[in-house]
Amino acid sequence: MIAKAAGSVRIKLILTALATTFVALVVTTVSMLVYDLHSFQQGWVDDLTTQAELVATASAPALSFNDPRAARQNLGLLRVRPQIEAGAIYSASGALFASYVHAPAEVPALPPKPGPLGYAIEGGHMVVTHPIVEEGERIGTVYLSASYRLLDRVQSYALILLGVTLGSLLLAAVVAHRLQQTITPSAAGGDRRGAHRDAAARLFAAGRRAGQRRNRHPDRCLQRHAGRDLAPLERAAGRQPHIGT
């Protein structure tokens, strides 16, 4: 019985430790994943916006002097950033003025007109549209499209977190096993001491009940003991021969 109880305590300790660790890891993992994805997206937005601002500043004179060749050269500098797959400069009327494509076979066609200012995520691409302003007047628009491999980021991050989770659960199981080896002997000893105390209490209660019965019927007890004491004498007297006078 004690061994069975010790085994039950051991299993409960291990399961409790694993469940607590698993819940904590799930909450932490989800929080870290959400934070990382948000930071990843914001980082790309800031980076592309900065690149678009540089291209806009450099290309403003080309638009003012109607120099598409200079605008194309400015866009060609984007080749040092292979993640930026395409770029374009549009005039104030929305007509395509100059363009750049890193790998034409892998990049969608450039839009005929620029979209709304800001950023957008289109499939596996992030698009940033930024105005070209000169002396407070908008004279054109910069369009940049970059590879946005969010799924790859999620997969790599998930593999890392999965490894950390499994390692943490294994460590928690080892720690719980060590703890139960320390706790269950004490619990078993406590069970044995409790069993001894229960047995002593039952014996004490039985003796107390017997004493109460004797106190309630003292005459019966005396008669019973007197009968026990006189019975040997009566048997001896019955065996003695009668002596005539």
Side-chain angles (χ1 to χ4, degrees):
M1 183 67 181
I2 294 175
K4 183 177 180 180
S8 177
V9 171
R10 179 183 301 110
I11 294 174
K12 289 179 179 179
L13 281 174
I14 295 176
L15 292 179
T16 300
L18 291 178
T20 303
T21 304
F22 180 75
V23 171
L25 287 172
V26 168
V27 173
T28 304
T29 298
V30 172
S31 301
M32 292 179 63
L33 183 59
V34 171
Y35 176 78
D36 181 76
L37 294 181
H38 175 74
S39 300
F40 179 71
Q41 176 177 316
Q42 192 60 44
W44 265 110
V45 171
D46 294 341
D47 185 31
L48 283 182
T49 301
T50 300
Q51 295 296 325
E53 289 177 352
L54 294 174
V55 173
T57 302
S59 302
L63 276 172
S64 299
F65 292 99
N66 193 24
D67 189 355
R69 181 180 177 185
R72 285 194 295 270
Q73 289 176 349
N74 293 333
L75 289 173
L77 297 176
L78 296 174
R79 68 174 59 93
V80 299
R81 297 292 306 276
Q83 297 88 351
I84 301 178
E85 298 176 336
I89 296 175
Y90 296 87
S91 64
S93 62
L96 183 63
F97 186 74
S99 63
Y100 159 80
V101 177
H102 179 71
E106 301 176 0
V107 179
L110 294 171
K113 290 184 177 295
L117 300 180
Y119 77 93
I121 298 174
E122 302 174 353
H125 303 274
M126 177 177 285
V127 173
V128 170
T129 305
H130 190 77
I132 302 175
V133 179
E134 187 176 49
E135 297 181 356
E137 180 183 358
R138 180 176 176 181
I139 61 174
T141 305
V142 174
Y143 169 90
L144 296 181
S145 176
S147 175
Y148 185 63
R149 302 184 181 279
L150 181 63
L151 184 59
D152 294 342
R153 179 77 173 185
V154 172
Q155 290 177 347
S156 61
Y157 203 80
L159 289 175
I160 294 173
L161 293 177
L162 179 62
V164 173
T165 300
L166 293 178
S168 300
L169 289 176
L170 180 60
L171 180 61
V174 172
V175 172
H177 180 70
R178 295 290 181 87
L179 287 176
Q180 63 83 18
Q181 288 180 340
T182 304
I183 294 174
T184 50
S186 300
D191 291 340
R192 286 193 293 268
R193 289 192 295 271
H196 293 326
R197 286 195 298 269
D198 293 341
R202 287 194 295 270
L203 290 175
F204 177 77
R208 186 174 181 180
R209 287 194 297 271
Q212 289 175 351
R213 286 196 297 270
R214 286 195 296 270
N215 292 334
R216 285 197 298 268
H217 305 287
D219 294 338
R220 292 182 183 177
C221 293
L222 290 175
Q223 291 175 2
R224 187 181 301 112
H225 287 294
R228 290 175 182 173
D229 295 339
L230 294 175
L233 296 177
E234 290 177 354
R235 287 195 298 270
R239 287 195 299 268
Q240 291 180 359
H242 295 279
I243 301 175
T245 54

